[in-house]
Amino acid sequence: MSHLNQNKKIMNRIKRIQGQTNAIEQNLLSENISCIEVLQQIAAVKGAITGLMNELIELHLREHVLSDLEKINEEDLNDFLALIKRYT
């Protein structure tokens, strides 16, 4: 997946996730932060990671799996992608 390092959208997602995880670390060091706030931040990171994974799965399918097919049924592809997003 070396082509991904040139994908600005993916790289921006990763930088946001890094910022979120750094904020969790800083807040864990703070004495004034509640457990609930940290858990909310962790939930946000989990959602961001899931979104990144969905994006990477879609890019992989489009770039490496489906690129060899002569004719792609866009409706079936979208149904498949929705299924993957539902369970990841």
Side-chain angles (χ1 to χ4, degrees):
M1 290 190 167
S2 62
H3 59 89
L4 294 177
N5 64 357
Q6 297 174 13
N7 187 316
K8 194 170 191 163
K9 185 177 177 181
I10 295 294
M11 297 309 292
N12 286 338
R13 277 182 179 259
I14 291 170
K15 288 177 184 177
R16 272 194 308 275
I17 292 168
Q18 287 173 335
Q20 289 173 310
T21 57
N22 289 339
I24 292 170
E25 179 183 15
Q26 292 302 311
N27 285 331
L28 287 173
L29 298 173
S30 171
E31 294 181 12
N32 299 328
I33 193 91
S34 74
C35 294
I36 297 298
E37 290 174 295
V38 172
L39 288 169
Q40 288 173 333
Q41 288 178 311
I42 292 169
V45 169
K46 182 179 176 184
I49 293 287
T50 299
L52 174 63
M53 185 168 65
N54 289 337
E55 184 84 19
L56 292 177
I57 289 170
E58 181 175 345
L59 286 172
H60 174 73
L61 284 172
R62 290 184 185 278
E63 193 73 25
H64 300 290
V65 176
L66 299 174
S67 62
D68 294 335
L69 300 176
E70 290 182 19
K71 184 177 179 182
I72 298 172
N73 181 330
E74 193 69 27
E75 184 177 347
D76 287 344
L77 172 62
N78 288 333
D79 289 344
F80 178 72
L81 292 173
L83 178 70
I84 288 174
K85 289 176 183 177
R86 192 175 315 134
Y87 292 105
T88 55

